[in-house]
Amino acid sequence: MVANGEVTIRGILYLSGLALLAGLSYGLLWLVESSLREPDPAESQAPVLTIERFRAVRMNIAGMKEYVVEAPRLQQLPGQSGTRIEQPALDWYQPDGQTREWRLQAEQAWGAADQQTLRLEGAVTMVRTAASGKLPMTVITRDILIRPAEHYAETAAPVQVVTPGGELRAVGMRAWLNQQRLELLSEVRGFYESPKR
């Protein structure tokens, strides 16, 4: 190994072999230990918070009601999974905060954790009454994506729009509810009866 204060090649090979065996032993020990460990439990999707008879009011910059969401039950999901809402009703108000312009109702809803989007799921009804001072309208569809801050709604599902004296059917819709703008995307069919004099 050491001859006259010098390291021999045989000694270097011997030390290298010992280091290799130590490394292999460590790797084998780590592999056995990791296979014996219990796997990390999957994150539970059980709600972390449940609220019965939920009501939330969003105010506009002037301190007036912008929209109100009500539901029999709201469940906050863990982490960034968002919120589940049963049978939600969403009322949008005109800038005066007193006059309801639209009421949207659905079977279920899911709200993103960042509160920027709301997905109304299942059958959805959107109603604008004459009390809003605008043409009454009922929209019947399914599965609408809403961006509440923009008063924007869209769906790729079939849509039925009923107004006094008329009805339209289409597939897909985009709506800017505060601008009285409704865009029907495809297969648009309908009829309109002019008012009788």
Side-chain angles (χ1 to χ4, degrees):
M1 297 240 202
V2 179
N4 300 332
E6 294 179 18
V7 177
T8 63
I9 293 196
R10 185 174 177 187
I12 291 174
L13 289 175
Y14 181 70
L15 289 173
S16 297
L18 284 175
L20 180 63
L21 281 174
L24 288 173
S25 296
Y26 176 77
L28 184 60
L29 180 62
W30 178 83
L31 184 64
V32 168
E33 184 180 274
S34 66
S35 68
L36 292 176
R37 262 189 252 139
E38 290 184 30
D40 292 337
E43 185 176 318
S44 170
Q45 288 301 306
V48 295
L49 173 68
T50 299
I51 301 173
E52 302 289 336
R53 294 188 308 271
F54 168 79
R55 185 172 196 265
V57 178
R58 178 179 169 114
M59 309 302 264
N60 62 23
I61 198 161
M64 307 300 263
K65 249 187 314 195
E66 185 173 357
Y67 63 84
V68 176
V69 180
E70 294 180 295
R73 177 179 291 152
L74 173 139
Q75 295 181 321
Q76 178 69 45
L77 302 174
Q80 295 296 308
S81 298
T83 305
R84 281 253 163 256
I85 308 169
E86 293 179 11
Q87 301 171 343
L90 171 62
D91 292 330
W92 253 304
Y93 288 83
Q94 291 180 354
D96 67 7
Q98 302 298 313
T99 308
R100 185 175 72 197
E101 186 153 348
W102 285 96
R103 170 164 265 222
L104 286 68
Q105 294 179 286
E107 294 173 15
Q108 298 278 332
W110 172 84
D114 64 4
Q115 301 178 1
Q116 298 300 308
T117 57
L118 180 67
R119 192 172 59 227
L120 300 181
E121 299 170 339
V124 177
T125 304
M126 303 169 56
V127 177
R128 181 172 66 193
T129 65
S132 69
K134 298 178 180 163
L135 178 70
M137 180 182 299
T138 300
V139 179
I140 301 166
T141 187
R142 303 187 57 76
D143 305 328
I144 291 183
L145 177 69
I146 294 181
R147 292 196 296 267
E150 301 170 36
H151 293 240
Y152 175 80
E154 70 177 33
T155 184
V159 178
Q160 178 185 10
V161 179
V162 179
T163 60
E167 182 179 316
L168 294 169
R169 292 180 183 268
V171 175
M173 170 193 78
R174 288 190 280 234
W176 293 263
L177 300 175
N178 60 340
Q179 300 174 17
Q180 299 186 58
R181 190 171 134 208
L182 182 73
E183 183 179 324
L184 301 174
L185 300 180
S186 66
E187 300 180 37
V188 180
R189 302 275 185 268
F191 70 88
Y192 179 75
E193 295 177 10
S194 59
K196 297 190 169 79
R197 297 179 192 215

